[in-house]
Amino acid sequence: MINKDSLTQHISAQFNADLESVRSNLLAMGGLVEKQVNDAVTALIDANSELATTVRATDTEINQMEVSIDEECIRILARRQPAASDLRLIIGISKSVIDLERIGDEASKIAKRALLLSEDGEAPRGYVEIRHIGDQVRRMVQEALDAFARFDVDLAMSVSQYDKNIDREYKSALRELVTYMMEDPRSITRVLNVIWVLRSLERIGDHARNIAELVVYMVHGTDVRHKSLLRNKQDADSAE
Amino acid sequence: MINKDSLTQHISAQFNADLESVRSNLLAMGGLVEKQVNDAVTALIDANSELATTVRATDTEINQMEVSIDEECIRILARRQPAASDLRLIIGISKSVIDLERIGDEASKIAKRALLLSEDGEAPRGYVEIRHIGDQVRRMVQEALDAFARFDVDLAMSVSQYDKNIDREYKSALRELVTYMMEDPRSITRVLNVIWVLRSLERIGDHARNIAELVVYMVHGTDVRHKSLLRNKQDADSAE
């Protein structure tokens, strides 16, 4: 088991500083990614092209953060040769940044849809669902990061469970939108924009779950991915 | 620079054996994943439910391979404390398995669509595109793995470029299918099944590109993700 205190128990003060630095950089990246999700959804709902453009531009910053945290992890592995829980922490961080970067990509795609919708005209339906599911995935990302910051396994587990609700709501929103398109085929292009946004949100939920599962791995050393404890295949792709 | 020969230059024969073992396990996993993509597309085009069910079942095997290769990487990091190119090789492998596992997930989703289409009835359009784009992404996965097996940077670069064509074809197929849905709204549900399959194929292409970029990283130590050399943001999400 690791916890925050164990971070202060290293023989080398420098090693300690390295670990704390990479960990806080990951949390900073997480904070920015969370803001990107929030801003992208807001830009879409408020038809705010300026905000959408900012989200698109900020994605570069997130990509740079990914590369730099990754390099930090490799430097620590090479110089400090960490073992046991420290090694798991570094591996966990180097995997979490992949998910954070992809959440950033999805936020950028949502911002792109916001721009398209402001050109093509508003979609006739789906904004309520986007706001609702958007709030939930944002909370998932936030709680996954909190779980990471506090090495809180219980919170991580609850984030992971949460994903099932989102998949369910995504599916139901999709059904409703398909019915709408059938009734009004001229709306298909615009409704598809909404569907892509919902799908991006659903993916963000998946990535948040991955991060939560990495927290469990870092703390317990147990790989819970693909385990029935936190998900099962049926649920995992039922959103499709 | 690393190449196959450098694998035989380690002081410890056991370390050597460890590296060779994890590397060949990754390639075995890659071979299975490639077969899954192939089988999923075949199951869909031939309306072969039995094959689709096999693909769905085999996904568990791929997930197990991911966990086991990952554990192997961590064991090597902990025991052998590799440096420089060996460290990059291990990090590259531990990241490549994530992409391989997700390619497996997409193949499983395609198989699920194959089952749905055999229940709902065939889609009126899109099979030609699925076959065509399917062939291309399968080749991408294959070449990314070949590039990995031979540490072939030139091949890796060409795989990465290839992804742009797929994005372009995906976009054009999508436009055609949207037009079709507008003309025949009763087909929407079935055509959407085809769209989800095309999207899965496009994602598989993205993952193959990630693996190709990791080959460049492993050989040169340069992180080419997010670099204009191999992709640019505009291209990367133009498929949306």
Side-chain angles (χ1 to χ4, degrees):
Chain A
M1 294 266 298
I2 52 173
N3 55 54
K4 265 201 82 173
D5 296 337
S6 74
L7 279 179
T8 58
Q9 290 164 0
H10 293 109
I11 299 161
S12 152
Q14 186 52 47
F15 182 21
N16 214 3
D18 286 352
L19 283 182
E20 191 51 47
S21 153
V22 70
R23 188 173 155 275
S24 75
N25 285 341
L26 181 91
L27 292 173
M29 179 180 176
L32 182 57
V33 163
E34 195 189 317
K35 184 174 179 302
Q36 287 281 91
V37 175
N38 194 15
D39 287 352
V41 170
T42 304
L44 190 125
I45 288 172
D46 298 348
N48 183 341
S49 309
E50 207 179 320
L51 185 57
T53 307
T54 307
V55 171
R56 302 274 297 161
T58 307
D59 195 46
T60 314
E61 203 178 318
I62 289 172
N63 294 343
Q64 282 159 355
M65 284 170 122
E66 182 197 10
V67 172
S68 121
I69 291 172
D70 226 40
E71 284 168 358
E72 240 182 305
C73 287
I74 290 182
R75 225 171 12 244
I76 294 176
L77 286 175
R79 288 201 197 147
R80 311 281 168 204
Q81 307 179 327
S85 66
D86 294 330
L87 180 55
R88 286 205 306 273
L89 175 65
I90 296 298
I91 296 294
I93 288 174
S94 85
K95 292 194 170 187
S96 298
V97 286
I98 300 179
D99 285 299
L100 284 178
E101 190 270 333
R102 290 186 188 165
I103 292 175
D105 279 349
E106 298 298 338
S108 179
K109 287 176 186 173
I110 292 172
K112 189 176 177 188
R113 293 291 147 194
L115 292 171
L116 287 173
L117 281 166
S118 67
E119 285 166 20
D120 298 352
E122 279 190 15
R125 287 286 168 95
Y127 290 91
V128 175
E129 290 79 2
I130 287 174
R131 187 189 291 277
H132 185 62
I133 298 180
D135 279 345
Q136 290 183 78
V137 298
R138 204 171 60 219
R139 209 181 113 198
M140 266 185 85
V141 174
Q142 194 184 42
E143 292 190 353
L145 290 167
D146 281 354
F148 186 95
R150 306 198 302 254
F151 296 122
D152 184 336
V153 170
D154 293 335
L155 183 58
M157 297 272 207
S158 79
V159 171
S160 203
Q161 287 294 334
Y162 211 69
D163 194 37
K164 285 182 194 167
N165 292 332
I166 289 172
D167 288 351
R168 208 160 21 229
E169 292 190 25
Y170 167 74
K171 244 177 130 172
S172 129
L174 205 59
R175 264 195 306 269
E176 204 215 319
L177 291 168
V178 167
T179 308
Y180 190 87
M181 286 194 285
M182 284 174 166
E183 284 163 7
D184 181 9
R186 288 162 312 161
S187 72
I188 288 178
T189 306
R190 284 169 296 143
V191 172
L192 272 178
N193 277 326
V194 170
I195 289 180
W196 297 138
V197 171
L198 288 172
R199 206 176 164 84
S200 281
L201 290 173
E202 188 264 328
R203 292 249 171 202
I204 291 173
D206 287 347
H207 289 298
R209 185 189 58 202
N210 289 343
I211 294 171
E213 290 176 355
L214 284 167
V215 173
V216 181
Y217 161 75
M218 286 188 287
V219 176
H220 284 314
T222 315
D223 201 326
V224 290
R225 291 167 305 168
H226 317 303
K227 294 268 167 71
S228 56
L229 176 64
L230 290 184
R231 68 166 103 169
N232 74 48
K233 186 69 204 157
Q234 227 50 34
D235 292 320
D237 65 5
S238 65
E240 286 299 294
Chain B
M1 296 269 297
I2 52 173
N3 54 53
K4 264 203 83 175
D5 296 337
S6 75
L7 279 179
T8 57
Q9 290 164 1
H10 292 111
I11 300 161
S12 151
Q14 185 53 47
F15 182 21
N16 214 3
D18 286 351
L19 283 183
E20 190 52 48
S21 153
V22 70
R23 186 174 156 274
S24 74
N25 286 340
L26 181 91
L27 292 173
M29 179 180 175
L32 182 57
V33 163
E34 195 189 318
K35 184 173 181 300
Q36 288 281 91
V37 174
N38 195 13
D39 287 353
V41 170
T42 304
L44 189 124
I45 289 172
D46 298 349
N48 183 341
S49 308
E50 206 180 320
L51 186 57
T53 308
T54 307
V55 171
R56 302 273 296 161
T58 307
D59 195 46
T60 314
E61 202 179 319
I62 289 172
N63 293 343
Q64 283 159 355
M65 285 170 123
E66 183 197 9
V67 173
S68 121
I69 291 171
D70 226 41
E71 283 167 357
E72 240 182 305
C73 287
I74 290 182
R75 228 175 6 248
I76 294 176
L77 286 175
R79 289 201 197 147
R80 312 282 168 203
Q81 307 181 326
S85 66
D86 294 332
L87 180 55
R88 286 204 306 273
L89 176 65
I90 297 297
I91 296 293
I93 289 175
S94 85
K95 292 194 169 185
S96 298
V97 287
I98 300 178
D99 285 299
L100 285 179
E101 190 269 335
R102 291 187 187 164
I103 293 175
D105 280 349
E106 298 298 339
S108 179
K109 286 175 185 173
I110 293 171
K112 190 179 176 185
R113 292 291 146 195
L115 292 171
L116 286 173
L117 280 166
S118 66
E119 285 165 21
D120 297 351
E122 277 191 16
R125 286 288 167 96
Y127 290 90
V128 175
E129 290 80 1
I130 287 175
R131 185 188 293 278
H132 186 63
I133 298 180
D135 279 345
Q136 289 184 78
V137 298
R138 204 171 60 219
R139 208 180 114 200
M140 268 186 85
V141 174
Q142 193 184 44
E143 291 189 356
L145 290 167
D146 281 354
F148 186 95
R150 306 198 302 254
F151 296 121
D152 184 336
V153 170
D154 293 335
L155 183 58
M157 297 272 206
S158 79
V159 170
S160 202
Q161 288 295 334
Y162 212 69
D163 194 37
K164 286 182 194 167
N165 292 333
I166 289 173
D167 287 351
R168 212 165 15 235
E169 293 191 24
Y170 167 74
K171 244 176 129 172
S172 128
L174 205 60
R175 263 194 307 268
E176 204 215 318
L177 291 168
V178 167
T179 308
Y180 191 87
M181 286 194 284
M182 284 173 166
E183 284 163 7
D184 181 9
R186 289 162 309 162
S187 72
I188 289 179
T189 306
R190 283 169 297 142
V191 172
L192 273 178
N193 277 327
V194 170
I195 289 180
W196 297 138
V197 171
L198 289 171
R199 206 176 164 83
S200 281
L201 290 173
E202 188 262 329
R203 292 248 171 203
I204 291 173
D206 286 347
H207 289 297
R209 185 189 58 201
N210 289 344
I211 294 171
E213 290 176 357
L214 284 167
V215 172
V216 181
Y217 161 74
M218 285 188 289
V219 176
H220 284 314
T222 314
D223 200 326
V224 290
R225 291 166 306 167
H226 317 303
K227 294 268 166 71
S228 56
L229 176 63
L230 290 185
R231 68 166 104 170
N232 73 49
K233 186 70 203 156
Q234 229 49 34
D235 292 321
D237 64 7
S238 65
E240 287 299 295

